[in-house]
Amino acid sequence: MKLRAILILLLGCLLLQSCGKEPDVIYKNGKIHTYDANNTIAEAIAIKDGKILEVGTNNDILGKYESVNIVDLGGKVVLPGFIDCEGSLAEFSKNLSLINLSTAKSVAEITALVNERVKNLPSDSWVGGFFWNELILPEAELNKMDKSVLDSISTTQNIYLVNLDGSIVWVNSKLLNTLKITKDTPNPKDGEIGRYEDGELNGFLFDAAVNLVRENIPEFSNDEMKQSMIKGVNELVKYGITELQDRTVNSTSLEAIKQLINEDKFPIRMYAVLSSGDNTFNEYLQKGIELNYKDKLTVRAVSIDYDGAFGLQSASMLDDYKTEPHRIVPYAVEPDIVDLLKKAAAKNFQVRVKTVGDNAVVASLNAYEKVNNEIKLTDSRTVFEHIEFADKNSINRIRDYNIIPSVRPENAMLDFEIITPKVGDRSLSQWALWNSLLQAAGKLTIGSDFPFQQINPFVNMYYLTTRQFTDTTMASITNPNEKISLDDAIRAYTIWAAYSAFQEEYKGSLEKDKFADMVVISNDIYANPKNLLSAKVEKTIINGKVVYQSGN
């Protein structure tokens, strides 16, 4: 009897304790996909101090807890907050200050947009535009384009307009003069300065020559950077992004982010990935990793690019390209990766290697194997990013070494039609082996690569689950067995993404004691894959607080 009385007393205390935790908010009547180990679908969720108290049925939660703030989800689908495994907040935020030319279908439309921007700006200002698309501009319109068109807008301000993929910039005479580019200026390596037949400049810079502008754009001040980042993160939450893994940060942008966090103006979380050749990484090697600064910022990863984009013929492929250069010189070599893995391991940094081509994957695996044989990279969670091509042997090695594969679905789909002309059908058979990578590694992550590609997670999920373009349907699909399930596509944006940043214990799924980061969406995306293309985020919730609500 005595033991029974004690147990009853303890049970009573526990019930009083749980009832004493009045939630800040309860969400009820939802289809809450928790993505816990059992893939539980709940109806209600109670949140306190930014963390999840409990998930369960309406009766369970409402019977156990009371709250003055109860939100009826009306049967909407709820998912864990999305984690984008690669994007550049700084570049994206800067672009928001530029003129968006993506919808312009004529020179007149472009000039109207630029005219509107320059009319109140002082002399010597830099005026940028981006995403004009030569593919939707008629040939007659393209033939009109030269520096004289932009000179008619302004001869006192520096105008530069970058095309959709960043390979061409259209400039006015003022900017050419500012940059001291003349008809006698030699073409940079892998680039071209546009000229008329008589040698005079026409106002276009191609490929590597674009850097003549990019590297001279005036730097933002700290206040300008912070204001642009506020705009940037407020755009990201519209897509349900609750955390960004950003591989373009440096000491300047990190300081701005910390200031915004201190000012409570940075709603999302940031997992910062430093660059191996940047001084910021050397600074952090001295002071060590930084974990969970105010639950918003972690700095514990470093990246290195073995190769680059396939579309620009910069991917390191096992097969030769059909046009010059037949073999590309990679940005890094195996010893570079070996050196970085050793340095990172000594300070508990994670390494992320960009490996687009199948040869890049092989070389990076060789480097990993060499280091692992020496020092055993236990739970290093090394990530191979941008994997677009891989042979079966490499995929098996990815499994054996516990490499986390990370893919860029939109990049792969954009490259699909140029694979055979560039390198032949053998490479096509090794293209976008998403399911094989998933089965080998047990997980997969996704980066949107914004602002160079679109942000929308639902579009990338559509690519992964259908292997179809968004605007056309292919009768036959290359490597059809390489589709993955919708559940796995969502895991790639949530719990597996959290794992790739050592965060699976406190985010990535909707479970007790984890951060209350979640999204409420408009469509039941589980009913039909096409619903992914029309799905919208209705609410983005971070730390239990609504940071975005559609219509507001």
Side-chain angles (χ1 to χ4, degrees):
M1 286 291 293
K2 189 174 182 180
L3 179 59
R4 185 170 181 271
I6 292 172
L7 290 173
I8 290 172
L9 180 63
L10 286 172
L11 180 61
C13 290
L14 287 171
L15 288 172
L16 285 171
Q17 185 181 39
S18 66
C19 291
K21 287 186 177 179
E22 181 179 318
D24 297 322
V25 60
I26 293 174
Y27 288 90
K28 68 175 185 177
N29 295 333
K31 296 177 182 175
I32 303 171
H33 294 255
T34 65
Y35 286 92
D36 63 7
N38 298 317
N39 212 23
T40 305
I41 300 175
E43 293 177 310
I45 186 167
I47 298 168
K48 177 74 172 176
D49 295 331
K51 293 190 175 181
I52 297 168
L53 274 180
E54 196 170 339
V55 293
T57 66
N58 288 328
N59 288 338
D60 287 342
I61 301 302
L62 296 174
K64 188 172 182 179
Y65 299 103
E66 293 182 357
S67 176
V68 296
N69 188 11
I70 298 177
V71 178
D72 193 330
L73 292 166
K76 295 290 186 181
V77 168
V78 179
L79 302 172
F82 298 140
I83 302 170
D84 193 328
C85 287
E86 189 195 357
S88 174
L89 176 61
E91 289 299 317
F92 175 67
S93 300
K94 286 178 183 177
N95 283 354
L96 293 177
S97 67
L98 304 180
I99 308 163
N100 188 338
L101 304 171
S102 60
T103 60
K105 296 180 180 179
S106 69
V107 170
E109 288 181 21
I110 292 173
T111 54
L113 290 166
V114 179
N115 261 316
E116 181 63 25
R117 179 64 60 88
V118 305
K119 62 183 181 183
N120 296 317
L121 294 177
S123 296
D124 296 322
S125 297
W126 286 62
V127 182
F130 70 110
F131 286 178
W132 60 269
N133 188 348
E134 63 270 30
L135 298 179
I136 67 171
L137 288 165
E139 186 175 353
E141 293 296 303
L142 292 172
N143 289 336
K144 297 178 185 176
M145 295 168 64
D146 67 3
K147 64 183 180 182
S148 67
V149 174
L150 301 184
D151 290 347
S152 69
I153 299 173
S154 175
T155 56
T156 62
Q157 293 146 329
N158 299 291
I159 300 175
Y160 65 98
L161 309 179
V162 184
N163 74 331
L164 185 63
D165 67 3
S167 62
I168 307 172
V169 62
W170 176 20
V171 303
N172 66 345
S173 296
K174 165 66 175 174
L175 183 52
L176 291 170
N177 292 333
T178 297
L179 298 178
K180 296 182 171 54
I181 299 173
T182 71
K183 64 179 182 179
D184 298 319
T185 302
N187 289 328
K189 184 177 183 294
D190 300 323
E192 181 183 351
I193 298 169
R195 294 175 170 85
Y196 297 114
E197 289 184 1
D198 62 3
E200 289 295 329
L201 303 177
N202 61 20
F204 285 100
L205 304 172
F206 301 94
D207 298 322
V210 170
N211 293 329
L212 297 174
V213 175
R214 183 179 289 125
E215 293 170 358
N216 287 283
I217 296 172
E219 289 291 326
F220 276 16
S221 68
N222 181 261
D223 284 343
E224 287 172 332
M225 180 180 292
K226 286 167 61 178
Q227 290 305 311
S228 71
M229 283 184 173
I230 290 170
K231 293 178 183 178
V233 294
N234 286 336
E235 284 297 311
L236 293 184
V237 294
K238 294 178 183 179
Y239 295 94
I241 304 299
T242 59
E243 177 168 300
L244 172 63
Q245 298 178 4
D246 192 324
R247 70 196 304 269
T248 61
V249 294
N250 56 29
S251 56
T252 302
S253 58
L254 285 172
E255 180 57 32
I257 289 167
K258 283 186 177 180
Q259 291 175 16
L260 290 173
I261 291 171
N262 294 339
E263 296 164 11
D264 198 23
K265 295 177 180 177
F266 198 81
I268 69 169
R269 305 184 202 279
M270 170 77 77
Y271 184 79
V273 183
L274 307 176
S275 298
S276 62
D278 189 78
N279 285 335
T280 306
F281 177 54
N282 294 326
E283 293 168 10
Y284 270 89
L285 277 178
Q286 297 301 313
K287 63 183 180 181
I289 63 175
E290 184 170 10
L291 301 178
N292 299 325
Y293 178 79
K294 296 190 176 181
D295 286 334
K296 286 293 182 73
L297 174 66
T298 286
V299 186
R300 70 162 303 168
V302 58
S303 68
I304 186 170
D305 291 354
Y306 187 92
D307 63 350
F310 179 79
L312 299 178
Q313 205 158 306
S314 297
S316 180
M317 304 294 292
L318 291 170
D319 290 340
D320 286 353
Y321 286 98
K322 294 183 178 181
T323 57
E324 290 286 353
H326 298 298
R327 305 294 299 175
I328 68 111
V329 177
Y331 302 143
V333 291
E334 286 181 38
D336 297 328
I337 299 170
V338 167
D339 181 60
L340 182 61
L341 283 165
K342 289 180 178 179
K343 284 181 180 177
K347 294 290 188 175
N348 204 26
F349 270 89
Q350 179 190 46
V351 173
R352 298 182 169 214
V353 188
K354 185 174 182 179
T355 54
V356 180
D358 46 11
N359 187 59
V361 175
V362 170
S364 300
L365 283 165
N366 291 343
Y368 184 93
E369 180 179 41
K370 181 175 181 179
V371 176
N372 191 55
N373 287 340
E374 288 184 31
I375 61 175
K376 295 299 177 189
L377 297 167
T378 306
D379 197 32
S380 66
R381 305 197 189 184
T382 302
V383 180
F384 282 10
E385 300 183 306
H386 285 257
I387 297 178
E388 194 166 327
F389 302 90
D391 60 26
K392 293 295 184 182
N393 182 57
S394 293
I395 291 174
N396 289 335
R397 294 175 72 194
I398 284 171
R399 174 199 63 213
D400 295 342
Y401 296 136
N402 296 314
I403 303 294
I404 301 171
S406 188
V407 299
R408 306 293 177 265
E410 186 164 56
N411 286 354
M413 295 302 295
L414 290 173
D415 287 340
F416 170 70
E417 293 179 335
I418 61 173
I419 295 170
T420 298
K422 277 187 175 290
V423 286
D425 289 338
R426 194 181 78 87
S427 293
L428 190 63
S429 69
Q430 298 180 358
W431 166 77
L433 303 184
W434 299 324
N435 188 48
S436 294
L437 288 165
L438 170 57
Q439 297 308 314
K443 56 187 64 68
L444 188 75
T445 69
I446 307 168
S448 66
D449 197 22
F450 77 85
F452 309 106
Q453 304 299 343
Q454 57 80 44
I455 299 169
N456 192 340
F458 299 119
V459 173
N460 276 320
M461 291 178 195
Y462 180 81
Y463 291 138
L464 287 168
T465 56
T466 67
R467 296 178 74 83
Q468 295 281 1
F469 295 101
T470 58
D471 55 352
T472 58
T473 300
M474 294 183 288
S476 63
I477 304 172
T478 299
N479 305 330
N481 294 331
E482 296 298 333
K483 292 185 289 185
I484 69 173
S485 71
L486 178 58
D487 276 331
D488 284 341
I490 292 171
R491 289 187 185 96
Y493 260 110
T494 56
I495 188 63
W496 293 337
Y499 177 90
S500 76
F502 302 86
Q503 298 173 334
E504 73 278 9
E505 294 299 318
Y506 52 90
K507 76 183 316 276
S509 59
L510 300 177
E511 300 180 74
K512 181 178 172 60
D513 295 331
K514 289 193 174 185
F515 288 124
D517 296 353
M518 55 191 193
V519 294
V520 182
I521 64 176
S522 60
N523 292 14
D524 186 351
I525 57 177
Y526 297 90
N528 185 328
K530 282 286 187 182
N531 288 349
L532 286 164
L533 297 180
S534 57
K536 304 292 183 186
V537 171
E538 293 195 347
K539 284 187 177 74
T540 300
I541 299 162
I542 301 178
N543 273 352
K545 297 179 181 178
V546 176
V547 297
Y548 168 72
Q549 182 160 323
S550 62
N552 286 0

